[in-house]
Amino acid sequence: MNLVSVAARNVLRNKFRTLLTVIGAAVAVLAFVLLRTVLSAWNVAADYAAKDRIATRHKISFILPLPKRYMDTVREVPGVTEGSFMSWFGAKDPRDANNFFASMAVESKTFFKVYDEMVVSPEDMERWLGDRKGAIVGDVLATRLKVKPGDTVTLEGTIYPGNWQFNVSGIYTATRKSIDRSQFIFHYDYLNESLPERQRDQIGWMTARIDDPSRSADISAAIDKIFDEKDVQTATMSERAMNLSFMAMMSAVLTALNVVSIIILLIMMMILGNTIAMGVRERSREYGVLRALGFEPKHVRIFIIGEAATIGLLAGFIGLVISYPIVELGLGRWLEENMGSMFPYFRIEPATMVMAVLLSMGLSLAASLLPAHNASKLSVTDALRRVA
């Protein structure tokens, strides 16, 4: 038996109020974990981007096309080991218009060499290369569309109007967290040959693998310099920079999430502070008795701070317990399946768990400092005279 254990036992003096406080703080922890997980999941594509891969787009805007012939020039740049190109197709499932997924026309022979973390079995790859209408589908998207190799899929074009028919040649999985497993990949030649003459041989962007990641900036500059005198200029950057440029469009949302997470912490601190202050007022006479028996002011502070730390610890752990099934197993799986292009990997990071518990305890301790200080400064006579 010591002062801290006695303080912890005091938590149960008013079980109902303690229960409501812990639940309220646990819900705040849940909201904090959710927001921090959204932020970390949003940055996955940049954090886990390949260091030896660079991307080239139109200098003015990502949505403007590049001439297909540029790809041959990029492959000849010193330091480039392999290159490929792709175009955003923007199709949707006519059975479910709200089912968003990335659909892209890619260079058949090189795409899966540049993106070697997208794993396709040799049988599926051989089947795909031999089928002009063949498509490789991510395992998550295949589950959503309820398709398997050998099935026929019809997609409704948006950028390229019409009904487009594809044969599912295979399923890919991913070995890197930054890869969206909800993509629909098909042959660029199938798209290109179906377009009017004036729209042919235009691509969306290019990607290349390089031999030395430390020379990424130099190789990127060399590529852009080649096209500086052309009619269409380029902007080349690392894969991480490319992904960050996409996220920059949502910078206001990310800032708002950061602000909201801070507000949630302040609300949790007020909840805990109110409970601690009420408990101190109710037990002022008890603290006066303890002082009369010889306990010092620091012992009173330890009682109050120890009780607050216990409440904060309970709230933190309970918040994590309810966060896992709600955030990771529930919302996380849904986001990966339905918004994989934005959240390819939605998991609660260990750092977020530790931060949530430490902040819960830390805010409890911070909220208890003023009540503990005031209680320790009460004289014995004033404390015994006080009525809660």
Side-chain angles (χ1 to χ4, degrees):
M1 182 69 69
N2 53 49
L3 292 176
V4 175
S5 63
V6 172
R9 292 167 67 93
N10 274 337
V11 170
L12 300 177
R13 289 284 294 274
N14 191 323
K15 297 182 179 63
F16 185 68
R17 185 170 64 206
T18 299
L19 176 64
L20 292 179
T21 301
V22 170
I23 291 175
V27 171
V29 170
L30 166 63
F32 175 80
V33 169
L34 172 59
L35 292 177
R36 300 310 302 182
T37 303
V38 169
L39 291 172
S40 63
W42 186 268
N43 291 312
V44 159
D47 294 341
Y48 292 91
K51 293 180 173 60
D52 62 342
R53 194 157 53 214
I54 57 177
T56 302
R57 62 169 177 83
H58 196 289
K59 187 174 184 179
I60 296 176
S61 172
F62 182 81
I63 64 174
L64 296 177
L66 296 171
K68 178 187 171 186
R69 64 180 183 275
Y70 277 20
M71 188 72 258
D72 295 330
T73 304
V74 170
R75 289 193 178 102
E76 296 174 358
V77 175
V80 174
T81 59
E82 186 58 271
S84 188
F85 61 80
M86 59 213 75
S87 290
W88 182 265
F89 186 57
K92 60 184 179 180
D93 183 1
R95 299 168 300 176
D96 183 6
N98 295 322
N99 183 9
F100 175 82
F101 54 87
S103 54
M104 292 186 294
V106 306
E107 187 177 27
S108 308
K109 295 181 179 180
T110 59
F111 178 78
F112 287 103
K113 294 179 181 178
V114 174
Y115 289 91
D116 54 4
E117 64 267 51
M118 299 172 70
V119 181
V120 182
S121 70
E123 296 80 10
D124 289 352
M125 181 62 68
E126 182 179 0
R127 188 185 305 115
W128 183 58
L129 293 175
D131 186 355
R132 176 174 171 271
K133 294 185 177 182
I136 300 292
V137 183
D139 58 335
V140 173
L141 180 60
T143 301
R144 271 165 51 200
L145 296 179
K146 299 179 181 179
V147 298
K148 62 184 184 302
D151 290 349
T152 299
V153 176
T154 300
L155 298 182
E156 182 181 340
T158 54
I159 300 174
Y160 306 96
N163 291 325
W164 297 75
Q165 191 175 73
F166 301 93
N167 303 318
V168 178
S169 301
I171 308 296
Y172 77 83
T173 56
T175 59
R176 193 189 296 271
K177 295 179 180 179
S178 59
I179 293 296
D180 177 13
R181 292 157 53 204
S182 297
Q183 297 182 79
F184 190 95
I185 307 296
F186 66 96
H187 300 288
Y188 172 80
D189 289 342
Y190 176 39
L191 170 64
N192 195 48
E193 293 167 3
S194 304
L195 296 176
E197 185 69 30
R198 58 185 175 81
Q199 294 183 11
R200 292 182 182 176
D201 297 329
Q202 300 289 316
I203 59 177
W205 67 98
M206 302 176 288
T207 56
R209 299 299 285 260
I210 57 178
D211 56 6
D212 184 1
S214 65
R215 296 184 58 239
S216 173
D218 295 335
I219 297 173
S220 297
I223 292 173
D224 291 338
K225 186 176 181 181
I226 294 173
F227 301 117
D228 277 347
E229 303 301 323
K230 305 292 184 181
D231 292 337
V232 178
Q233 289 83 45
T234 60
T236 304
M237 61 200 75
S238 67
E239 184 174 271
R240 174 180 171 82
M242 176 72 84
N243 292 335
L244 286 174
S245 69
F246 292 146
M247 291 186 289
M249 295 184 291
M250 300 292 289
S251 60
V253 175
L254 300 180
T255 302
L257 289 177
N258 269 318
V259 172
V260 171
S261 65
I262 294 173
I263 293 173
I264 287 172
L265 293 178
L266 294 176
I267 292 173
M268 181 167 64
M269 186 173 179
M270 288 190 289
I271 292 172
L272 295 169
N274 181 64
T275 299
I276 294 164
M278 289 175 65
V280 169
R281 286 196 299 271
E282 290 177 355
R283 293 201 289 272
S284 294
R285 289 173 60 86
E286 296 179 19
Y287 297 139
V289 171
L290 291 174
R291 291 292 308 282
L293 293 175
F295 284 85
E296 300 178 9
K298 67 178 181 180
H299 296 141
V300 174
R301 289 194 293 268
I302 291 174
F303 278 129
I304 297 171
I305 293 174
E307 183 177 344
T310 303
I311 293 175
L313 187 62
L314 283 173
F317 277 115
I318 293 175
L320 286 183
V321 169
I322 62 177
S323 294
Y324 184 76
I326 295 175
V327 175
E328 186 158 320
L329 298 182
L331 180 62
R333 296 297 184 269
W334 186 88
L335 288 174
E336 287 180 1
E337 292 176 3
N338 295 276
M339 301 179 67
S341 58
M342 301 173 70
F343 301 103
Y345 187 82
F346 198 93
R347 300 287 190 279
I348 301 175
E349 296 287 338
T352 300
M353 298 181 186
V354 174
M355 187 188 305
V357 174
L358 291 181
L359 283 173
S360 181
M361 279 194 64
L363 291 172
S364 296
L365 294 175
S368 69
L369 292 179
L370 183 59
H373 174 76
N374 292 338
S376 66
K377 291 300 182 181
L378 282 175
S379 65
V380 175
T381 54
D382 289 339
L384 291 174
R385 194 180 296 124
R386 175 171 292 190
V387 177

